[in-house]
Amino acid sequence: MQTSSDRHEYPAHWEADVVLRDGGTARVRPITVDDAERLVSFYEQVSDESKYYRFFAPYPRLSAKDVHRFTHHDFVDRVGLAATIGGEFIATVRYDRIGAGGTPATAPADEAEVAFLVQDAHQGRGVASALLEHIAAVARERGIRRFAAEVLPANTKMIKVFMDAGYTQKRSFEDGVVRLEFGLEPTDRSLAVQYGREQRAEARSVQRLLQPGSVAVVGTGRAPGGVGRSILDNIRDAGYTGRLYAVNRAFPEEQKTLDGVPACRSVRDIDGPVDLAVVTVPAAHVPDVVAECGEHGVQGLVVISAGYADSGPEGRERQRALVRQARTYGMRIIGPNAFGIVNTSPDVRLNASLAPEMPRPGRIGLFAQSGAIGIALLSRLHRRGGGVTGHTGVSTFVSSGNRADVSGNDVLQYWYDDPDTDVALMYLESIGNPRKFTRLARRTAAAKPLVVVQGARHGGVAPQGHAVRATRLPHATVSALLRQAGVIRVDTITELVDAGLLLARQPLPTGPRVAILGNSESLGLLTYDACLSEGLRPQPPLDLTTAASADDFHAALARALADDTCDAVVVTAIPTVGEGAAGDAALAEALRSAAAAVPTKPVLVVHVELGGLAEALSAATSTAPQAGPAPTTAPTAPGTAAQAAPGAPSDAAAGSAAETAPGAPSKAAPSSPVRGAAGAAPHAIHGGAAGASASPPPSPSVVPAPAPAGAHLIPAYPAAERAVRALGEAVAYAQWRREAADPGKVPEYEDIDEKGAAEQIAGLLARGQGLTLGDRETCDLLGRYGVHVHRALPAPTPDDAAAAARTLGYPVALKATAPHLRHRADLGGVRLDLADEEQLRRAYAELTELFGKPAELRPVVQGMAPRGVDTVVRAVIDPAAGAVLSFGLAGAATQLLGDMAHRLIPVTDRDATSLIRSIRTAPLLFGWRGSAPVDSAALEELLLRVSRLVDDHPEVVAVTLEPVVVAPHGLSVLGASVRLAPPPARDDLGPRTMPAY
């Protein structure tokens, strides 16, 4: 809290940009003495009715005394905030601290009266709700715990703002006025309300960018070529359904069109609204364009222009200025240095990107921070899911470039309830807000698969242009936390597409049991081995022999799918000599018809250059990841499914990558006609999508029958390892979905002394900003949470060691605790099972002879604990990711292999159970090779207690328990350390804000 000497200083940290309910943005900031004219202008634009609701009487204008009162604040007992757009007020909120009887007061009074006023033109945009979140956060910071508000009964909108906020409330009615009182401490309901509003607002802001009713390309060249002209052509050729404009200052006054597109010299000259502006002018001219767009009411920008944070410090400052300028007008930005955006919906058909071909429509959402990787992903999906298969394509694509504003978090908010997206694929080079990303990913993954590959994993430096907060966590830890949130983490672009196509085409498996059948014994064995490597449970492969017919495959697949001991089927196939394309088509139809009879189990194909089979397998119309009927893409005319010419090898057969066997020719996938809106005739698609002629139809003798509506596509892979890896990810994700339905609970322990721990921590922190506790303080603090550390006594001399042993009782252990020897039993710094004083003194002499003087060794004597498995438990609060609990076995081997498991705090009972089973060396805890299983229940309880300590007291920034010896009955904590520090700021508990610039 501010002191009397600084209570009038301007609190710049209260400034924030927020996304409103309709997807627009506004800036929230404190009101100052310089805002008098803005306040008067704002009040003049408010209706008489709204003024009456605010002051309970006709109040046509503000007096000079009112203006002074509403602009002079001490930022402690009297605070006013304004929401602004374009620098002008659109809403205000203020609180005044009150004491008993509602009279003005100062601290320590902890109640304040709050009042709002919103311009009528901006009511219904969620401005008051956003202001309430921010004024409540300010009040908490200033020691205010309760708000009171008096509202006229007719002011139902304002009453609803208060009632819907989710705070604990008390409501009364007296003298014709509704009085509302509510505490300001966040509750589960208030946080749920806040997150729900955040999701709707951010999703709407992305929707406005991806579904614009009108688009202006600013910087369109008069001659063909160039970035602006290329994007204009791409939008037009894709069949964009909205209004399109070309903008260039260099157009002659008399020029009205450019290749049939209305042409203007400025955005201001466009007659009508513009929802989206694609900016391609040099960076130096972008500020002028942003000003024109803001003044014209443009809702959002896609900035293709480079020369920002990607070009160094000067460009980084230019990028900050760009974001600040756009937000002044309430606009959101994709970019700068972006590749563009795509929406394949037949109602939009927007290709505002540098991709010359419109991706084929489908149900996969694609996000890439890198333009180059975005191109590669679109190309890969075009070949594997489009050029050959015809129907597995993209719903939306966003390349964020420097992601100065719109990020992967915003796009996740949009995909969460987007009915056109079933699977989300993301290429990330950095995660700007890991806490928020993890929260959003968990919610999204509960509804639809989210597959992520992360670049720059080992470089330790974010790419130029990416402003991210530092994290001390290794990449492996971040990856484990993402998996805990339901994210399907893969390592390569190939795996990203492999997993995405399987999840888009097939239902989720209900378990790890896999049936394998095919006409190649060797390919079947390779698949079997791959299943074991991925932790699946394969059945022995069924070899149908090379003489197997399509009917044999159908019968075998039908039997496997009908088997209750099978959760998924992998079909292996090699070419049949002499059969050709007709045989491929027959086999495809056999597999497809058998799979259609049991649509609840996934089927995959591992093939060897079966172009016709792969194409035939893809002739289906649905890509939903769940069993049963699914949303369909735009209908395709009979016979127009993408198929190769008779006998032509496929480029990437039905889900295979664009690869061929060694020595085999590689050919481009044929173009295919695509039907647009329902009932429309097929139209030409450029470069294999929009604009090119369709390939000649294949011979009727090799065309399989069209798949029935609602049938699943069967993905095919060129290698068993790739197919099984994708299946393994699907199995793990399905298991996570089942477990996420019941996440468990955080247990309550009656012996926890939370209040006593808080008092002890406060007293210790009074000594300084950060400190590592001594042994006694560590034991005391952990003991308040039921974690009891085995007593160890210092032994600076042999006599002290003997006295300590007599106190503790034999047998004892003698340990060196110097930093270079601590927890290093492999170096010989520990002597165990010393049964008497003679053995103790001999061990003491050995240690000092080997390692140096006692002052260097810091020896201690500790009573022997029951034998068991040595483990380590750690907890740390990372500034970016939050509080993390880690577990592994103690020892050099575990450190060398990085065999640690991680969970976000607070940990539930189910989390603790899975945590100790997640490490590769977990069998050592559960009776490996005849050993006695350890007391896993005691270990889980220890993990839960440590989690509670860190969650209850964020000042505990690090805890290490090492070693923790887990015996068949009970456990012993033999070493512990605790570090305290002021907790890092948490932006996930405060009001909604956009990243600061």
Side-chain angles (χ1 to χ4, degrees), residues 380-470:
R380 187 72 59 89
L381 284 170
H382 182 78
R383 290 194 304 268
R384 297 184 55 185
V388 172
T389 65
H391 289 88
T392 303
V394 174
S395 60
T396 48
F397 165 75
V398 175
S399 168
S400 65
N402 294 357
R403 63 160 182 72
D405 180 20
V406 173
S407 69
N409 286 345
D410 298 292
V411 178
L412 271 183
Q413 299 277 40
Y414 172 76
W415 280 337
Y416 171 68
D417 53 9
D418 176 29
D420 294 329
T421 300
D422 291 332
V423 180
L425 307 185
M426 305 186 80
Y427 171 78
L428 304 176
E429 291 178 340
S430 60
I431 302 176
N433 189 338
R435 263 199 182 110
K436 182 174 179 179
F437 181 81
T438 301
R439 170 169 58 85
L440 300 186
R442 181 186 297 274
R443 184 182 59 185
T444 301
K448 56 189 69 175
L450 170 59
V451 191
V452 171
V453 61
Q454 189 173 353
R457 300 193 300 270
H458 306 297
V461 178
Q464 276 195 325
H466 290 216
V468 298
R469 67 190 74 185

Side-chain angles (χ1 to χ4, degrees), residues 491-542:
D491 294 324
T492 68
I493 294 300
T494 298
E495 293 177 357
L496 182 74
V497 177
D498 284 345
L501 290 177
L502 172 62
L503 293 163
R505 293 171 165 181
Q506 291 289 298
L508 292 176
T510 57
R513 302 169 299 180
V514 182
I516 304 168
L517 61 92
N519 62 355
S520 168
E521 181 180 15
S522 299
L523 197 53
L525 291 174
L526 285 174
T527 304
Y528 182 88
D529 291 342
C531 287
L532 292 176
S533 298
E534 292 298 323
L536 303 177
R537 292 163 50 189
Q539 299 174 357
L542 173 62

Side-chain angles (χ1 to χ4, degrees), residues 777-840:
E777 295 161 336
T778 296
C779 293
D780 288 346
L781 180 59
L782 292 174
R784 296 180 187 277
Y785 271 73
V787 177
H788 302 290
V789 183
H790 222 52
R791 189 179 180 189
L793 299 178
T797 67
D799 291 340
D800 291 326
R806 286 192 296 272
T807 300
L808 297 174
Y810 288 98
V812 296
L814 178 67
K815 301 190 297 185
T817 62
H820 64 290
L821 296 174
R822 193 178 183 89
H823 309 313
R824 292 299 308 274
D826 55 308
L827 297 181
V830 179
R831 297 291 187 272
L832 303 176
D833 284 322
L834 304 176
D836 52 37
E837 184 172 334
E838 180 182 355
Q839 292 183 12
L840 175 62

